[in-house]
Every structure is written in C-alpha cells, then in structure tokens.
Amino acid sequence: MQSLRWRIIIALTVLVLGLAYMLPSLPGVQGSSLAKFLPGDSINLGLDLKGGIHLTLGVDLDTALENNLDRIGDDLKAVAKEDDIYLLRPTVMPGDKIQAILLKKEQQEAFEEIVKKNFESLKIDGTEAMDDGRVRYVFGITTEYRKYFTKMTMEQAIKTIRNRIDQFGVAEPDIRRQEGNRIQIQLPGIQDPERAIKLIGRTAHLEFKLVDETANPQGALPPGSAIYQMQRRLANGTYAESPIVLKKDTVLTGEFITNAYVSYDRNVPYVGINFDNKGSRIFERLTGDNVGKRMAIVLDGKVYSAPTIQDKISGGRASITGHFTDEEARDLAVVLRAGSLPAPINILEQRTVGPSLGQESIDKGIQSAYIGMIAVLVFMVIYYGIAGAIADLVLVLNIMLIMAGLAAFGATLTLPGIAGIILTIGMAVDANVIIFERIREELRRGLTARAAIDEGYGKATLTIFDANVTTVIAAVILYNFGTGPIRGFAVTLTLGIITSMFTAIFVSRILFDAYVKNRADSTKLSI
Amino acid sequence: MGLQFIKPDTNIDFIGFRKIAFIISILVILAGVGSLILKGGPKYGIDFAGGMIVQVKTDNPVEVKELKEALKEVELPGMVVQSFGQEGDNEYLIRTSSSDITSAEVRDQVSSALSANLKNAKYEIQRLEMVGPKVGADLRSKALEAMFYAVLFIAIYISGRFEQRWMAAAIMAGGLIGGQWVLGFTGLDIGWTIIGMLFITVGLCWYLRLNYALGAVVALIHDVMITVGIFSILGKEFDLTIIAALLTIIGYSLNDTIIVFDRIRENIKGQDKANFGSLINKSINQTLSRTILTSGTTLLVVLSLFVLGGGVIHDFALALLIGIGVGTYSSIFVASPILLGFGPATIEEEGDKATA
C-alpha cells in the first residue's frame, strides 16, 4: 500500500504525457491557443485515409547499364586513339559485355596496359586473334563496378525524382529505396494523379543532334544516320508524327543545363534553357560551325523541333519550341531543371485514392469504432458493476495512449490501423476479464476483497503476459513482411498491446487498490 | 457480484465431445479444400494477381447492368463490373486483369465512356489501383513468408515458455531452418515450400514431444484453413488486408489457446496425474467464463466494423468474424484434445524439468 502514492504519480505522469501527445491530433485543438503548449506532432494519416498516390517504380537497370557500356566503349576508342592505337567502334553484346576489335596485333600489349590503367571497371573476358591480323576483345564488367553502378543509378534516380516532386509542390512526399531496383513513392493529397505520374516517370533525356539534310527518310540511310519521329501538335490538341533523318552522334546533352523556364513568344509558350560554362562553350562552337544547318532537339528519343541555326549563339541560352500547352511547357521545364533520370522507369504498382473516399472511409471507420466501443463499455458496466466501470476507464485511457503513441512515434494511421485499434479494444477488455474472473474465483473461495485482488492480479498477470507476447510476435512479423496498410495495422496492434498491458494491469490495479483501501476486511466487491 | 453467464460449478465434458468436434472440423476443412480445388486455388485480388481496379461512385443508384452497358465500348481484358460496399453507397468496382495498359489510359477510357453513356447519374473516380504481375507475385510470397514465420516463432516461444524446454525449441528452430534450406533446393513454389515447412513443424513438435506447441500450432493451422476455406466457398478475394486478418486470427487463436493451456499447467501442479482428461476439462470450464466474455466483446466490436465500417474493410471484418469464432472453438475442441492425446508424456516430464 505504501507504494500506492508512487504508482499514482507514475500513472498520472503517463496520463499527462499521453494527453499532451494525443490532443494535437484532435481537429478542435489544432490551431487553437492550447496548441502552443503541446508537442507539434500529430497523427499522420495514411494515403488510404487522406487520399493520394502510392507508387512503386522499377528502375530499368539493364537498359541503364547497356547505355553506360555504350559510353564506356566510346571512351575506350577515344582514349586508345590518343596513343595511336586504333579500334573498330566497340559494340555492346548481350550479357553486359563489350566487344572491341583491335586493328593491329602488335599493339596488344600497349592496349591492355591502357585498359588496365584507365578502365578499372572492365575485365578482359577473352581475346581471339583473327586471320587478318586483327584481335577481337571481349570485355566484361567487374562485380564491384556492377554494385557501384547499381547504387549510383538508384541514388541518382531517387535524387532526380525528389527534385521533380519538390518542384511539383507536394506537402509531405515520402520517397524511399526498396530492395533491388525498386523505389516507393507516397504523395498525399494530390489532385491530378496522372500528371504527377507522367512527370515522375519521364526520363527527360535531352539531346541535340544535327539533321542529315542529304538523306531522304524514304530512301537508304547513310551510315551514321537514323530515322527519328518529329512530333507536332495539331490545332485540335492531338499530335502528328513525321519522320526526320538525324545524325546518330549526339553533339550536346542536357547534362550541362543549369536552369529551365517557361517563356512566351507572341503568347506561345516555349521552354528556355541556360547552359553552364562548359555547355555554353560547346553550344557556341556548335552553332558557329553549323550556321545554315538544322539542329534537332530530341527529348526521350522524340524530336520536338529542328530549327535552322541562323547565327553563332553565345551566352549559353537556347530554347525549345514545340507547340506546347502551358502545362506541358511547365512540366517540361520542371523535368529539365530536375535533371534526367539515369534509366527508364516502369510503374510496377500504383494506388490512387481520391480525397473524398478517404474522408468517407475515415468517417465510417471512426463511427464503427465508436459504436463498437460504446457497446463494450455498456456491457462491461452491466456485467461487472464498479469493476466494469474501472475497466471502462482504463480502456478509454488505453485508446488515448494509442493515439498519443501514434503521434509521438510519427507512425501512420491507416484504415487497417483503425481496425487494429478496434481489435485492441477487444483484447484490452480481455486482460480485464481475465483479472476479474480470477478475482471472482478467489472471492468464491472466501478470500477478503484485498486478498482476492492481490491473488487475482498476481495469477492473471503471467497469463496476460504470455497471451500478449504471442500476439506481439505476430505483429512484429507482420511489420517486417508487410507493406503500407498492413504495417499500419501491425503498429497499432503492437502499440495497443503494450498500452493495454500498462493500463489493464498497472493503472487498473491502482484504481482497485484505492477502491478497497477502506474495506480491507470485507468480502464484498462490486465485480 | 455482477452478472454471471457461466455458473462457477459448471462442468461440461468438453473432452467427451472431441470426436464429434474432430469430425465437424475435418468436414469443414474438407469442404474448404474441395472448394479451393474446384476453383483452381484461391481467388487472388489484384494485390496478388496483378491487374487494375477503378472505383467509381455515382450520385444516383445505377444498376450494375446499366454500368456494364455504358462501359461496353471500353475493351479491357477480363473486365468485371460489380457493386461495392453497402446498398445506397452507389459504389462500383471496375476491374481488369491486365496491367499492360497504363493507368492513364484506363482512367481516360472509363471517364469518356461514362460521360458519354451514363445519362442519369454523375460519377466520380474515387480510387485507381494498379499492381504489376511481378509486384503481385512478390507480395504473395512475402505474405506467405510472414504467415510461416509467425507460426514458427510462436511454436518456439510456446515450447520454451510452457515446458521450459528451450533446448528442444532450439533443436526445432534448427530443424526448421535446415528443412527450409533443403526445400529451397527443390525449386518448388513458395506455397508448397510453406506447406512442407508446416509439416516439418508439426512433425518436429510431435517427435520432440513439444505437446503444448503441437496443440497450439495444429489449432491455428486449423483456424487459418477454415477461414481460407470459407472465404473460398463464399467466393471472396484474397488481398493484403485479408492476410492481415489471417495473422490477427493466428494471434487471437493463440491468445485463447494459451489462456486455457496456462490454466492446465497451473492445475497440473500437485494434482493426481492419472486423469489428465478431467484435468483438462476442469481447466476449460474454469476459463470458460473468460473465453465467452472475451470472444463476445471482441466479436461485438468486429461485428460493428463488419456492419458499419464501409466497403474497404468489409471483407477484412468478415475474415475476423469467422476467425475469432473458429479460434475460440479450436482452443477448446482442437488444441486441448491434442494436448490430451500426447498428455502422459507431459506429466512425466514435469519431473525431469530441472535436468532438461
């Protein structure tokens, strides 16, 4: 009994803390003068409750690696050339390999030295002397490089996506890398999901290529040229495509862009871009060397425009015109500013919930929780009398602590999470029922009220502990293997079990001890 | 004292009913398995099978037939239109099995078809979900893994906690990890691997005479099988929330079983060990009051979810309703009789405990 005071102090401390953490989540308290004295955290609502987009994206690492090998091959040729070693244009082969043909057999040693010195990522998989004195090399990539490449590509993809989303202005985006090549994105409260998805998934690989004026799209193509599709927006809003022949070599890419913005020319929007110093120099030389020729602006493999170069352009500015709508121009500026994705991206999973559905779900969920809870509360008082009222009191306290816990840990409340709370109500009642039934048994054996309570709590506590530990095991596993909403359920269930152990064993014991304090010799209890 | 549903001197012979109970259980399980075989396995929702769902809400009631008519020109593979939630919600689901088309295309096609052909009602697209086939398969194997590990860890915990035989529990864990490793080589589908693992679990419990764990594990496999079977018979779909419900059922079923077992363990101390059956009966009767009250209050809450919770959690609540009912039944009629079946060993081992 001595310790009753201390137990009351502990219980009250938890109660006050719980109240402080729970209150900010109530709609009436937010923004009121009371809110200033409370912690700032309120309960995070899941996407299923407030509406928004959940996306799982798969980064196409294979394509990214292939493109990268292509670049490495070009480098290889260029670096070797500096030492007067000549290679046929290296090609990428299936299985992430590069094939390169060395023209002169006697340069083998020097060539291998260059590879070893400059290309740590490559390993020689095989050499084969050919009849005409040439040597065929097959290069593979080292496992370290593959790991490094995967990591870099994923990091860059996430960074680029984050930049784009930031530009889009979403309040609390959640972007995280998942196992393998997957990225998970959650965007709460988005109004126009399709536009957001388009913006995120666009590769935005910008290239400048020269138009091959000598070739005819219908005729045979000269080596080094290829057919592209030029896109044109018609007056009715649809697009038409026409073939155009471009030189394969890319003269400039989007990697030198420092800024992109929307401007208007006679009310027609276009996207202006600024280059950094290096980009400006390349662009100046390029335009100077090709006056009178046409230069195509290629975005993600589609030609947007192919203006004729009138004059040398210095100052590092260029513009992309292409009969855009305002929105298209804005989105294009966003993706160019945010940088291009290092690899194409596929949408593997998409869940879009409209805000109205979220509101309806939460209303119904909360309503059914209230009704279920009230039914239980009424039942407990009818069945157990004053003891039932004590159980009810700690039950309400329990729910408050769950809410406080959710807010304090920054956990997310989802619809299955509400179901988890409701289930916890059932389980919390269980703890009290186990205790009460034990006390009843002990009273029947003729123990005094106080002794029966001591015995009842003592024997029930272990049982409750065993029963709850198994549920916590299930919940922890659920959390580890689950995704989104299921995790929410696991969190509320775990939180609910922990708080119910505290309230049903610790707090209710205080109330019982206080209740029998002055009737130690009685054998009667309202239970 | 307040109300009492169960008189303190109640003594129902539960163990005496065990044969009838086994027959009932086996029949229900067979019906479920039969339904699964007839229907070619569980009916997976888009979470596991991949595909797309568009949820549409209209301001006026619309017949599903009318909606189908309006969407006729939208040619989506395997398109199904169905009403959703309760009557008066005016909510409908349009599903397609394909995830080749983009969600934007589906949204556009559905909107334009509905705007053109749905004359009497305004509509709103409330939800659109797309799951690719690869992600679906991943989610499925993850969900199965979660169920399996839940059972494994719980079996180990019970063996250690109830019989203080942590060594035996450790041997079981080792055996299971080894078994999983071996099964990994067979290259079987994750579903079969898990069925194999469950057999190993039950076999190990039996061999190592981990009787409490055996009773509890068999009871919860029983509960999950019955719930899955009833879901299959009712033609309900399995998605992520149903897995959450199944795991909750596992937790709840164990909760119930453990409280009965706890009482059995307590009653064993200083008792005449000859009549284990009547000891079990006594324990079940002593905890009967609690069992009925807890199941009753939990069912009350879940029932409120089922009736009032709205379409999104309707099936979730249904799974919980079935599972909690079956879980209560199994702790009395399945778990305890199994403990009895292997009982005498348990009592003898009480004496060896110190050396174990």
Side-chain angles (χ1 to χ4, degrees), chain A residues 20-45 50 172 362 403 407:
Chain A
Y21 274 100
M22 184 211 59
L23 281 175
S25 299
L26 298 182
V29 178
Q30 279 163 6
S32 70
S33 53
L34 185 63
K36 272 177 279 181
F37 303 100
L38 296 171
D41 308 304
S42 63
I43 295 177
N44 246 326
L45 293 183
K50 66 178 156 186
E172 292 164 21
I362 200 171
M403 307 275 276

Side-chain angles (χ1 to χ4, degrees), chain A residues 176 473-483 486-488 490-491 494, chain B residues 146:
Chain A
R176 56 183 73 181
I473 291 176
V476 167
I477 291 165
L478 213 52
Y479 185 82
N480 275 317
F481 287 92
T483 47
I486 290 196
R487 284 198 156 189
V491 168
T494 312

Side-chain angles (χ1 to χ4, degrees), chain B residues 135-209:
Chain B
V135 173
D138 280 7
L139 289 175
R140 193 166 66 213
S141 61
K142 268 197 161 185
L144 285 172
E145 258 180 272
M147 307 263 294
F148 168 69
Y149 281 113
V151 173
L152 170 63
F153 282 111
I154 285 163
I156 292 170
Y157 176 75
I158 293 174
S159 307
R161 180 80 187 85
F162 271 72
E163 310 186 59
Q164 267 84 52
R165 292 176 58 198
W166 294 103
M167 266 312 286
I171 292 170
M172 184 167 76
L176 278 168
I177 290 165
Q180 193 181 28
W181 189 68
V182 171
L183 282 176
F185 283 114
T186 59
L188 284 172
D189 177 66
I190 177 98
W192 288 107
T193 310
I194 278 163
I195 290 171
M197 294 305 291
L198 286 178
F199 270 108
I200 296 175
T201 310
V202 171
L204 279 172
C205 285
W206 178 77
Y207 180 74
L208 295 168
R209 294 186 169 274

Side-chain angles (χ1 to χ4, degrees), chain A residues 2-251:
Chain A
Q2 285 261 316
S3 66
L4 185 59
R5 183 185 303 156
W6 281 108
R7 285 187 289 150
I8 290 175
I9 290 171
I10 293 172
L12 281 178
T13 314
V14 174
L15 179 83
V16 169
L17 272 175
L19 206 61
Y21 274 100
M22 184 211 59
L23 281 175
S25 299
L26 298 182
V29 178
Q30 279 163 6
S32 70
S33 53
L34 185 63
K36 272 177 279 181
F37 303 100
L38 296 171
D41 308 304
S42 63
I43 295 177
N44 246 326
L45 293 183
L47 291 184
D48 52 346
L49 294 180
K50 66 178 156 186
I53 309 176
H54 167 107
L55 288 175
T56 307
L57 304 176
V59 179
D60 188 349
L61 288 172
D62 292 341
T63 306
L65 188 57
E66 212 171 284
N67 291 344
N68 191 52
L69 289 179
D70 199 36
R71 262 199 303 280
I72 291 178
D74 286 348
D75 271 3
L76 194 62
K77 189 181 171 194
V79 172
K81 194 178 159 191
E82 283 171 18
D83 286 6
D84 291 324
I85 297 170
Y86 292 94
L87 294 174
L88 282 189
R89 190 190 172 91
T91 50
V92 178
M93 301 201 311
D96 302 331
K97 300 204 182 300
I98 302 174
Q99 172 183 281
I101 291 170
L102 182 67
L103 292 178
K104 288 178 187 162
K105 199 174 165 188
E106 51 277 17
Q107 289 180 328
Q108 243 180 310
E109 213 168 292
F111 174 60
E112 280 172 29
E113 191 59 35
I114 288 175
V115 173
K116 210 170 149 194
K117 217 169 86 191
N118 298 303
F119 295 88
E120 283 177 357
S121 54
L122 293 181
K123 59 180 171 49
I124 299 171
D125 271 4
T127 55
E128 183 193 344
M130 294 162 88
D131 297 339
D132 50 6
R134 297 191 292 184
V135 184
R136 180 170 166 265
Y137 275 87
V138 175
F139 295 100
I141 49 169
T142 59
T143 28
E144 294 90 59
Y145 182 72
R146 186 186 292 274
K147 265 189 216 148
Y148 167 82
F149 179 78
T150 303
K151 186 167 164 262
M152 289 303 291
T153 309
M154 292 303 290
E155 274 172 11
Q156 201 197 327
I158 289 175
K159 198 177 137 210
T160 307
I161 290 171
R162 178 163 291 136
N163 282 342
R164 291 184 187 179
I165 290 171
D166 285 348
Q167 307 253 7
F168 202 69
V170 178
E172 292 164 21
D174 180 53
I175 304 158
R176 56 183 73 181
R177 177 164 181 202
Q178 290 192 311
E179 66 201 271
N181 65 336
R182 292 186 186 165
I183 300 172
Q184 180 191 296
I185 301 174
Q186 302 208 319
L187 307 174
I190 279 249
Q191 297 298 327
D192 187 353
E194 296 304 337
R195 184 176 163 206
I197 290 165
K198 249 184 232 159
L199 194 73
I200 291 166
R202 189 165 195 179
T203 312
H205 188 54
L206 184 69
E207 299 162 297
F208 294 85
K209 288 172 189 280
L210 288 169
V211 177
D212 189 348
E213 308 281 6
T214 60
N216 176 348
Q218 272 79 39
L221 292 175
S225 291
I227 292 190
Y228 284 79
Q229 296 297 326
M230 176 133 146
Q231 206 176 41
R232 228 158 17 96
R233 201 165 77 98
L234 304 174
N236 64 8
T238 58
Y239 292 88
E241 287 185 346
S242 51
I244 180 170
V245 180
L246 305 182
K247 299 233 163 116
K248 268 185 193 162
D249 286 332
T250 299
V251 288

Side-chain angles (χ1 to χ4, degrees), chain A residues 182 348 350-352 354 356 368 383-384 422-423 430 437-438 440-441 463 466-467 478 486 489 527, chain B residues 2-3 5 47 103 124 126 128-130 132 138 161 240 247-248 255 262-263 266 290 293-294 301 304:
Chain A
R182 292 186 186 165
L348 302 178
Q350 177 195 345
R351 296 169 197 271
T352 314
S356 67
S368 61
Y383 198 86
Y384 286 116
I422 295 172
L423 196 71
D430 183 47
E437 290 298 315
R438 274 289 186 172
R440 278 184 174 188
E441 273 180 55
T463 309
D466 277 335
L478 213 52
I486 290 196
F489 177 74
I527 189 167
Chain B
L3 281 175
F5 290 152
D47 283 346
S103 51
E124 182 195 355
Q126 287 190 311
L128 191 150
E129 296 192 3
M130 186 281 282
D138 280 7
R161 180 80 187 85
L240 279 173
L247 277 152
T248 314
N255 200 38
D262 217 49
R263 198 44 98 89
E266 185 186 323
R290 172 266 155 198
L293 272 178
T294 299
V301 180
S304 136

